[in-house]
Amino acid sequence: MADEALFLLLHNEMVSGVYKSAEQGEVENGRCITKLENMGFRVGQGLIERFTKDTARFKDELDIMKFICKDFWTTVFKKQIDNLRTNHQGIYVLQDNKFRLLIQLSAGKQYLEHASKANSR
């Protein structure tokens, strides 16, 4: 339980720190998003490399997605993915109905105004 709290606090501080640097004029707002995406990509890549170093090679994309949904997600988020969908053309959608990193955002109504503006773009 303590590990989870520390992880959530670290995540919140990283996001807050990147956006505060934009508010202070150090970085453009669009670059903040890119910076966060790059950090997330690198962390995810490192985790996958560690988790798969002792496993056999995956046969196909479906094996990779099964690994992510069952083994990886369970290890990192302590639960399996709620739903995995595909269009059978290489597009996969993973659905986690209680994704811990976004629960705090979705619980408040203060972001509804911003969400409608983002969706109308």
Side-chain angles (χ1 to χ4, degrees):
M1 192 59 123
D3 291 343
E4 182 177 336
L6 292 173
F7 177 75
L8 291 172
L9 287 171
L10 175 63
H11 178 264
N12 287 340
E13 285 302 312
M14 288 173 57
V15 171
S16 176
V18 169
Y19 275 94
K20 281 181 185 173
S21 67
E23 288 173 0
Q24 295 170 356
E26 296 174 22
V27 198
E28 298 171 23
N29 193 24
R31 291 189 57 205
C32 289
I33 294 169
T34 302
K35 188 173 184 176
L36 286 172
E37 287 174 347
N38 289 337
M39 290 165 67
F41 180 85
R42 179 62 195 116
V43 168
Q45 182 183 30
L47 287 172
I48 288 292
E49 287 174 356
R50 278 194 183 170
F51 291 150
T52 59
K53 71 179 180 179
D54 297 328
T55 60
R57 290 184 66 82
F58 298 112
K59 290 181 275 183
D60 56 13
E61 285 181 350
L62 188 57
D63 278 350
I64 294 170
M65 296 311 298
K66 286 179 183 177
F67 171 80
I68 290 171
C69 293
K70 292 180 181 178
D71 301 327
F72 178 75
W73 212 263
T74 302
T75 303
V76 174
F77 298 109
K78 310 290 188 251
K79 67 183 285 296
Q80 286 188 5
I81 281 288
D82 294 317
N83 196 355
L84 169 63
R85 295 183 185 184
T86 181
N87 66 354
H88 303 289
Q89 297 176 0
I91 304 294
Y92 296 89
V93 177
L94 286 66
Q95 184 175 352
D96 185 341
N97 295 328
K98 295 184 179 176
F99 188 62
R100 291 187 330 208
L101 301 178
L102 297 178
I103 284 178
Q104 293 175 341
L105 292 178
S106 63
K109 295 187 186 310
Q110 71 269 27
Y111 299 104
L112 290 176
E113 180 182 325
H114 298 294
S116 63
K117 291 177 184 175
N119 289 335
S120 63
R121 289 181 191 171

